[in-house]
Amino acid sequence: MIHQQLIATIFALAFVSLGGATVALFLRPRDSARGFWLMVGLWGLLDGFIVWPALLQDPMAPDELRWVLGINLLLQLVYLPTGIVLATRTKALVKGFGWGVLASAIMLGAIDAVFYLRLLN
C-alpha cells in the first residue's frame, strides 16, 4: 500500500514539474528562469521515467523500499551541494539550473523522508 502511495506521489510531482516547465518555457522567460524551468522539467521527465515501470510491477517489500529510500536520501548529499554551487554562479542560465536542482531535490528529498519515516513505524 505504501509503495503505491509513494509511486503515485512521485508520479504526480513528475506530472506537475513537466506541466509547469512546459507552460513556463512557453512564456519565454529570461535566462535564469529558463534555466530553472529547464532543470525542473528535466527532473520531472526523469522522475516519470523512473516511476513508470514501478506502476506496472509488483510492490516492493517494505525493507527493500526502505533501502531504496535511504539511498535516495543519501544522494541528497550530492544534489544539494551541486545545486548550491550552480546557483552561486554568475551566468544567469547556470544560476537557474542550480535553483532548479535545489527545488527538485528538496521536493524529492521531502517525499523520500516522509515515506522513509512512515516505513519505520
Side-chain angles (χ1 to χ4, degrees), residues 9-75:
T9 303
I10 294 175
F11 200 70
L13 177 63
F15 183 74
V16 169
S17 296
L18 277 171
T22 300
V23 169
L25 290 170
F26 181 74
L27 298 174
R28 300 184 181 264
R30 294 182 183 236
D31 284 347
S32 182
R34 184 173 45 230
F36 174 83
W37 287 112
L38 280 170
M39 189 56 65
V40 168
L42 287 173
W43 274 63
L45 187 63
L46 180 62
D47 293 340
F49 279 132
I50 290 171
V51 299
W52 181 259
L55 289 170
L56 308 174
Q57 297 173 349
D58 291 332
M60 284 184 179
D63 289 341
E64 188 179 10
L65 185 56
R66 188 172 34 249
W67 184 83
V68 169
L69 290 172
I71 295 295
N72 287 347
L73 288 168
L74 284 174
L75 286 172

Coordinates of all heavy atoms in Angstrom, one line a residue, residues 9-75:
T9 N 2.7 9.6 -5.6 CA 3.2 10.9 -5.2 C 4.3 11.4 -6.1 O 4.3 12.5 -6.6 CB 3.7 10.9 -3.7 OG1 2.6 10.4 -2.9 CG2 4.1 12.3 -3.3
I10 N 5.2 10.5 -6.4 CA 6.3 10.9 -7.3 C 5.9 11.1 -8.7 O 6.3 12.0 -9.4 CB 7.5 9.9 -7.2 CG1 8.1 9.9 -5.8 CG2 8.6 10.2 -8.3 CD1 9.2 8.8 -5.6
F11 N 4.9 10.3 -9.1 CA 4.4 10.4 -10.5 C 3.6 11.8 -10.6 O 3.7 12.5 -11.6 CB 3.4 9.3 -10.8 CG 3.2 9.1 -12.3 CD1 4.2 8.7 -13.1 CD2 2.0 9.4 -12.9 CE1 4.1 8.5 -14.5 CE2 1.8 9.2 -14.2 CZ 2.8 8.8 -15.0
A12 N 2.9 12.1 -9.6 CA 2.2 13.4 -9.5 C 3.2 14.6 -9.6 O 3.0 15.6 -10.3 CB 1.3 13.5 -8.3
L13 N 4.3 14.5 -8.8 CA 5.3 15.5 -8.8 C 5.9 15.6 -10.2 O 6.1 16.7 -10.7 CB 6.4 15.2 -7.8 CG 7.5 16.2 -7.8 CD1 7.1 17.6 -7.4 CD2 8.6 15.7 -6.8
A14 N 6.2 14.5 -10.9 CA 6.7 14.5 -12.2 C 5.8 15.2 -13.2 O 6.2 16.0 -14.0 CB 7.0 13.1 -12.7
F15 N 4.5 14.9 -13.1 CA 3.5 15.5 -13.9 C 3.4 17.0 -13.7 O 3.4 17.8 -14.7 CB 2.1 14.8 -13.7 CG 1.0 15.3 -14.6 CD1 1.0 14.9 -15.9 CD2 0.1 16.2 -14.1 CE1 0.0 15.4 -16.7 CE2 -1.0 16.6 -14.9 CZ -1.0 16.2 -16.2
V16 N 3.4 17.4 -12.5 CA 3.3 18.9 -12.2 C 4.6 19.6 -12.6 O 4.6 20.7 -13.2 CB 3.1 19.1 -10.7 CG1 3.3 20.5 -10.3 CG2 1.7 18.6 -10.3
S17 N 5.8 18.9 -12.4 CA 7.0 19.5 -12.9 C 7.1 19.7 -14.4 O 7.5 20.8 -14.9 CB 8.2 18.6 -12.4 OG 8.3 18.6 -11.0
L18 N 6.7 18.7 -15.1 CA 6.7 18.8 -16.5 C 5.7 19.8 -17.0 O 5.9 20.6 -18.0 CB 6.4 17.4 -17.2 CG 7.6 16.5 -17.3 CD1 7.1 15.1 -17.7 CD2 8.6 17.0 -18.3
G19 N 4.5 19.8 -16.4 CA 3.4 20.7 -16.8 C 3.8 22.1 -16.6 O 3.7 23.0 -17.4
G20 N 4.4 22.4 -15.4 CA 4.8 23.7 -15.0 C 5.9 24.2 -15.9 O 5.9 25.4 -16.3
A21 N 6.9 23.3 -16.2 CA 8.0 23.7 -17.0 C 7.5 24.0 -18.4 O 8.0 25.0 -19.1 CB 9.0 22.6 -17.0
T22 N 6.6 23.2 -18.9 CA 6.1 23.4 -20.3 C 5.5 24.8 -20.4 O 5.7 25.5 -21.4 CB 5.1 22.3 -20.7 OG1 5.8 21.0 -20.6 CG2 4.6 22.5 -22.1
V23 N 4.6 25.1 -19.5 CA 3.9 26.4 -19.5 C 4.9 27.5 -19.3 O 4.8 28.5 -20.1 CB 2.8 26.4 -18.4 CG1 2.2 27.8 -18.3 CG2 1.7 25.4 -18.7
A24 N 5.7 27.4 -18.4 CA 6.7 28.5 -18.1 C 7.6 28.7 -19.3 O 7.9 29.9 -19.6 CB 7.5 28.2 -16.8
L25 N 8.1 27.7 -19.9 CA 9.0 27.8 -21.0 C 8.3 28.4 -22.3 O 8.9 29.0 -23.1 CB 9.7 26.5 -21.3 CG 10.8 26.1 -20.3 CD1 11.2 24.6 -20.5 CD2 11.9 27.0 -20.2
F26 N 7.0 28.0 -22.4 CA 6.2 28.6 -23.5 C 6.2 30.1 -23.4 O 6.1 30.8 -24.4 CB 4.8 28.0 -23.5 CG 4.0 28.5 -24.6 CD1 4.1 28.0 -25.9 CD2 2.9 29.4 -24.3 CE1 3.3 28.5 -26.9 CE2 2.1 29.8 -25.3 CZ 2.3 29.4 -26.6
L27 N 6.2 30.6 -22.2 CA 6.2 32.1 -22.0 C 7.5 32.8 -22.2 O 7.6 34.0 -22.1 CB 5.7 32.4 -20.5 CG 4.3 31.9 -20.2 CD1 4.0 32.1 -18.7 CD2 3.3 32.5 -21.1
R28 N 8.5 32.0 -22.6 CA 9.8 32.6 -23.0 C 10.5 33.4 -21.9 O 10.7 34.6 -22.0 CB 9.8 33.3 -24.3 CG 9.4 32.5 -25.4 CD 9.4 33.3 -26.7 NE 9.0 32.5 -27.8 CZ 9.8 31.9 -28.7 NH1 11.1 31.9 -28.5 NH2 9.3 31.2 -29.7
P29 N 10.8 32.8 -20.7 CA 11.4 33.6 -19.6 C 12.8 33.9 -19.9 O 13.4 33.5 -20.9 CB 11.3 32.6 -18.5 CG 11.3 31.2 -19.1 CD 10.6 31.4 -20.4
R30 N 13.3 34.8 -19.1 CA 14.7 35.2 -19.2 C 15.6 34.0 -18.8 O 15.2 33.0 -18.3 CB 15.0 36.4 -18.3 CG 14.3 37.6 -18.8 CD 14.6 38.8 -18.0 NE 13.8 39.9 -18.5 CZ 14.3 41.1 -18.9 NH1 15.6 41.3 -18.8 NH2 13.5 42.0 -19.3
D31 N 16.9 34.2 -19.0 CA 17.9 33.1 -18.8 C 17.8 32.4 -17.5 O 17.8 31.2 -17.4 CB 19.3 33.6 -19.0 CG 19.7 33.8 -20.5 OD1 18.9 33.4 -21.3 OD2 20.7 34.5 -20.7
S32 N 17.7 33.1 -16.4 CA 17.7 32.5 -15.1 C 16.5 31.6 -14.9 O 16.5 30.5 -14.5 CB 17.8 33.5 -14.0 OG 17.8 32.9 -12.7
A33 N 15.3 32.2 -15.2 CA 14.1 31.5 -15.1 C 14.0 30.3 -16.1 O 13.5 29.2 -15.8 CB 12.9 32.4 -15.3
R34 N 14.6 30.5 -17.3 CA 14.6 29.5 -18.3 C 15.5 28.3 -17.8 O 15.1 27.1 -17.9 CB 15.2 30.0 -19.6 CG 15.1 28.9 -20.7 CD 15.5 29.4 -22.1 NE 16.7 30.2 -22.1 CZ 16.7 31.4 -22.7 NH1 15.7 31.9 -23.3 NH2 17.9 32.1 -22.6
G35 N 16.6 28.6 -17.2 CA 17.4 27.5 -16.6 C 16.7 26.8 -15.5 O 16.8 25.5 -15.4
F36 N 16.0 27.5 -14.7 CA 15.2 26.9 -13.6 C 14.2 25.9 -14.2 O 14.1 24.8 -13.8 CB 14.5 28.0 -12.7 CG 13.6 27.4 -11.7 CD1 14.1 27.0 -10.5 CD2 12.2 27.3 -11.9 CE1 13.3 26.5 -9.5 CE2 11.4 26.8 -11.0 CZ 11.9 26.4 -9.8
W37 N 13.4 26.4 -15.1 CA 12.3 25.6 -15.6 C 12.8 24.4 -16.5 O 12.2 23.4 -16.5 CB 11.3 26.4 -16.4 CG 10.5 27.2 -15.4 CD1 10.5 28.6 -15.2 CD2 9.5 26.7 -14.4 NE1 9.6 29.0 -14.2 CE2 9.0 27.8 -13.7 CE3 9.1 25.5 -14.1 CZ2 8.1 27.7 -12.7 CZ3 8.2 25.3 -13.1 CH2 7.7 26.4 -12.4
L38 N 13.9 24.6 -17.2 CA 14.5 23.5 -17.9 C 14.9 22.4 -17.0 O 14.7 21.2 -17.2 CB 15.7 24.0 -18.7 CG 15.4 24.7 -20.1 CD1 16.7 25.3 -20.6 CD2 14.9 23.7 -21.1
M39 N 15.6 22.8 -15.9 CA 16.0 21.8 -14.9 C 14.9 21.1 -14.2 O 14.9 19.9 -14.0 CB 17.0 22.4 -13.9 CG 17.7 21.4 -13.0 SD 18.6 20.2 -13.9 CE 19.9 21.1 -14.6
V40 N 13.9 21.9 -13.8 CA 12.7 21.3 -13.2 C 12.0 20.3 -14.1 O 11.6 19.2 -13.8 CB 11.7 22.4 -12.7 CG1 10.4 21.8 -12.3 CG2 12.3 23.1 -11.5
G41 N 11.9 20.7 -15.4 CA 11.3 19.8 -16.4 C 12.1 18.6 -16.6 O 11.5 17.5 -16.7
L42 N 13.4 18.7 -16.7 CA 14.3 17.5 -16.8 C 14.1 16.6 -15.6 O 14.1 15.3 -15.8 CB 15.7 17.9 -17.0 CG 16.0 18.5 -18.4 CD1 17.5 19.1 -18.4 CD2 15.8 17.5 -19.5
W43 N 14.1 17.1 -14.4 CA 13.9 16.3 -13.2 C 12.5 15.6 -13.3 O 12.4 14.4 -13.0 CB 14.0 17.1 -12.0 CG 15.4 17.2 -11.5 CD1 16.5 17.8 -12.2 CD2 16.0 16.7 -10.3 NE1 17.6 17.8 -11.4 CE2 17.3 17.1 -10.2 CE3 15.5 16.0 -9.2 CZ2 18.2 16.8 -9.2 CZ3 16.3 15.7 -8.1 CH2 17.6 16.1 -8.1
G44 N 11.5 16.3 -13.7 CA 10.2 15.7 -13.8 C 10.2 14.6 -14.9 O 9.6 13.5 -14.6
L45 N 10.8 14.8 -16.0 CA 10.9 13.8 -17.0 C 11.6 12.5 -16.5 O 11.2 11.4 -16.6 CB 11.6 14.3 -18.2 CG 11.7 13.4 -19.5 CD1 10.3 13.2 -20.0 CD2 12.5 14.1 -20.5
L46 N 12.7 12.7 -15.8 CA 13.5 11.6 -15.2 C 12.7 10.9 -14.2 O 12.6 9.7 -14.1 CB 14.8 12.2 -14.6 CG 15.7 11.1 -14.0 CD1 16.2 10.1 -15.0 CD2 16.9 11.8 -13.3
D47 N 12.0 11.7 -13.3 CA 11.2 11.0 -12.3 C 10.1 10.2 -12.9 O 9.8 9.1 -12.4 CB 10.5 12.1 -11.4 CG 11.5 12.8 -10.5 OD1 12.7 12.3 -10.3 OD2 11.2 13.9 -10.0
G48 N 9.5 10.7 -13.9 CA 8.4 10.0 -14.6 C 8.9 8.7 -15.2 O 8.3 7.6 -15.1
F49 N 10.1 8.7 -15.9 CA 10.7 7.5 -16.4 C 11.1 6.5 -15.4 O 11.0 5.3 -15.6 CB 11.9 7.9 -17.3 CG 11.6 8.3 -18.7 CD1 12.2 9.5 -19.2 CD2 10.7 7.7 -19.5 CE1 12.0 9.9 -20.4 CE2 10.4 8.1 -20.8 CZ 11.1 9.3 -21.2
I50 N 11.5 7.0 -14.2 CA 11.8 6.1 -13.1 C 10.6 5.4 -12.5 O 10.6 4.2 -12.3 CB 12.6 6.8 -12.0 CG1 14.0 7.2 -12.6 CG2 12.7 6.0 -10.8 CD1 14.8 8.1 -11.7
V51 N 9.5 6.1 -12.3 CA 8.4 5.5 -11.7 C 7.4 4.8 -12.6 O 6.6 4.0 -12.2 CB 7.6 6.5 -10.8 CG1 8.5 7.1 -9.7 CG2 7.0 7.6 -11.6
W52 N 7.5 5.1 -13.9 CA 6.5 4.4 -14.8 C 6.6 2.9 -14.7 O 5.6 2.3 -14.6 CB 6.8 4.9 -16.3 CG 5.9 4.3 -17.2 CD1 6.1 3.3 -18.1 CD2 4.5 4.7 -17.4 NE1 5.0 3.0 -18.8 CE2 4.0 3.8 -18.4 CE3 3.7 5.6 -16.9 CZ2 2.7 3.9 -18.9 CZ3 2.4 5.7 -17.3 CH2 1.9 4.9 -18.3
P53 N 7.8 2.3 -14.8 CA 7.8 0.8 -14.7 C 7.3 0.3 -13.3 O 6.7 -0.7 -13.2 CB 9.3 0.5 -14.9 CG 9.9 1.6 -15.5 CD 9.1 2.8 -15.1
A54 N 7.5 1.1 -12.3 CA 7.1 0.7 -11.0 C 5.5 0.7 -10.9 O 5.0 -0.1 -10.1 CB 7.6 1.7 -9.9
L55 N 4.8 1.4 -11.7 CA 3.4 1.3 -11.8 C 2.9 0.0 -12.3 O 1.8 -0.5 -11.9 CB 2.8 2.4 -12.7 CG 2.9 3.9 -12.2 CD1 2.5 4.8 -13.3 CD2 2.0 4.1 -11.0
L56 N 3.7 -0.7 -13.1 CA 3.4 -1.9 -13.7 C 3.9 -3.2 -13.0 O 3.5 -4.3 -13.3 CB 3.9 -1.9 -15.2 CG 3.5 -0.7 -16.0 CD1 4.2 -0.8 -17.3 CD2 2.0 -0.6 -16.1
Q57 N 4.7 -3.0 -12.0 CA 5.4 -4.1 -11.3 C 4.7 -4.3 -9.9 O 3.9 -3.5 -9.5 CB 6.8 -3.8 -11.0 CG 7.6 -3.7 -12.3 CD 9.1 -3.2 -12.0 OE1 9.4 -2.8 -10.9 NE2 9.9 -3.2 -13.0
D58 N 5.0 -5.5 -9.4 CA 4.5 -5.8 -8.0 C 5.2 -4.8 -7.0 O 6.3 -4.4 -7.2 CB 4.9 -7.2 -7.6 CG 4.1 -8.2 -8.4 OD1 2.9 -7.9 -8.9 OD2 4.6 -9.4 -8.7
P59 N 4.5 -4.5 -6.0 CA 5.1 -3.6 -5.0 C 6.3 -4.2 -4.3 O 6.4 -5.4 -4.2 CB 4.0 -3.4 -3.9 CG 2.7 -3.8 -4.6 CD 3.1 -4.8 -5.6
M60 N 7.2 -3.3 -3.9 CA 8.4 -3.7 -3.2 C 8.1 -4.1 -1.8 O 7.1 -3.5 -1.2 CB 9.4 -2.5 -3.1 CG 10.2 -2.3 -4.3 SD 11.4 -1.0 -4.0 CE 12.2 -0.8 -5.5
A61 N 8.9 -5.0 -1.2 CA 8.7 -5.3 0.2 C 9.1 -4.0 1.0 O 10.0 -3.3 0.6 CB 9.6 -6.5 0.6
P62 N 8.6 -3.8 2.2 CA 8.9 -2.6 3.0 C 10.4 -2.5 3.3 O 10.9 -1.4 3.2 CB 8.1 -2.9 4.3 CG 7.0 -3.7 3.9 CD 7.5 -4.6 2.8
D63 N 11.1 -3.6 3.5 CA 12.5 -3.5 3.8 C 13.3 -3.0 2.6 O 14.2 -2.2 2.6 CB 13.1 -4.8 4.3 CG 12.7 -5.2 5.7 OD1 12.2 -4.2 6.4 OD2 12.7 -6.3 6.1
E64 N 12.9 -3.6 1.4 CA 13.5 -3.2 0.2 C 13.3 -1.7 -0.2 O 14.1 -1.0 -0.6 CB 13.0 -4.1 -0.9 CG 13.7 -3.9 -2.3 CD 13.2 -4.9 -3.3 OE1 12.1 -5.5 -3.1 OE2 13.8 -5.0 -4.4
L65 N 12.0 -1.3 0.0 CA 11.6 0.1 -0.2 C 12.4 1.1 0.7 O 12.8 2.1 0.3 CB 10.1 0.3 -0.1 CG 9.6 1.6 -0.5 CD1 9.9 2.0 -1.9 CD2 8.0 1.6 -0.3
R66 N 12.5 0.7 2.0 CA 13.2 1.5 2.9 C 14.7 1.6 2.5 O 15.3 2.7 2.6 CB 13.1 0.9 4.3 CG 13.7 1.8 5.4 CD 13.5 1.2 6.8 NE 13.5 -0.2 7.0 CZ 12.4 -0.9 7.3 NH1 11.2 -0.4 7.4 NH2 12.5 -2.2 7.4
W67 N 15.3 0.6 2.0 CA 16.7 0.6 1.5 C 16.8 1.6 0.3 O 17.7 2.4 0.3 CB 17.1 -0.8 1.1 CG 18.6 -0.8 0.7 CD1 19.7 -0.9 1.5 CD2 19.1 -0.8 -0.7 NE1 20.8 -1.0 0.7 CE2 20.5 -0.9 -0.6 CE3 18.4 -0.7 -1.9 CZ2 21.3 -0.9 -1.7 CZ3 19.3 -0.7 -3.1 CH2 20.6 -0.8 -2.9
V68 N 15.9 1.5 -0.7 CA 15.9 2.4 -1.8 C 15.7 3.9 -1.4 O 16.4 4.8 -1.9 CB 14.8 2.0 -2.8 CG1 14.6 3.1 -3.9 CG2 15.1 0.7 -3.4
L69 N 14.8 4.1 -0.5 CA 14.6 5.5 0.0 C 15.8 6.0 0.8 O 16.2 7.2 0.7 CB 13.3 5.6 0.9 CG 12.0 5.4 0.2 CD1 10.9 5.3 1.2 CD2 11.8 6.5 -0.8
G70 N 16.5 5.1 1.5 CA 17.7 5.5 2.2 C 18.8 5.9 1.3 O 19.5 6.9 1.5
I71 N 18.9 5.2 0.2 CA 19.9 5.6 -0.9 C 19.6 6.9 -1.5 O 20.4 7.8 -1.7 CB 20.0 4.5 -2.0 CG1 20.5 3.2 -1.4 CG2 20.8 4.9 -3.2 CD1 21.9 3.2 -0.9
N72 N 18.3 7.1 -1.8 CA 17.8 8.4 -2.4 C 18.1 9.5 -1.4 O 18.5 10.6 -1.8 CB 16.4 8.3 -2.7 CG 16.1 7.5 -3.9 OD1 17.0 7.1 -4.6 ND2 14.8 7.1 -4.1
L73 N 17.9 9.3 -0.1 CA 18.2 10.4 0.8 C 19.7 10.7 0.9 O 20.1 11.8 1.1 CB 17.7 10.0 2.2 CG 16.1 10.1 2.3 CD1 15.6 9.4 3.6 CD2 15.7 11.5 2.2
L74 N 20.5 9.6 0.8 CA 22.0 9.9 0.8 C 22.4 10.6 -0.5 O 23.4 11.4 -0.4 CB 22.7 8.5 0.8 CG 22.8 7.9 2.2 CD1 23.4 6.5 2.1 CD2 23.5 8.7 3.2
L75 N 21.7 10.4 -1.6 CA 22.0 11.2 -2.8 C 21.8 12.7 -2.6 O 22.4 13.5 -3.4 CB 21.2 10.6 -4.0 CG 21.7 9.3 -4.5 CD1 20.7 8.8 -5.5 CD2 23.1 9.4 -5.1

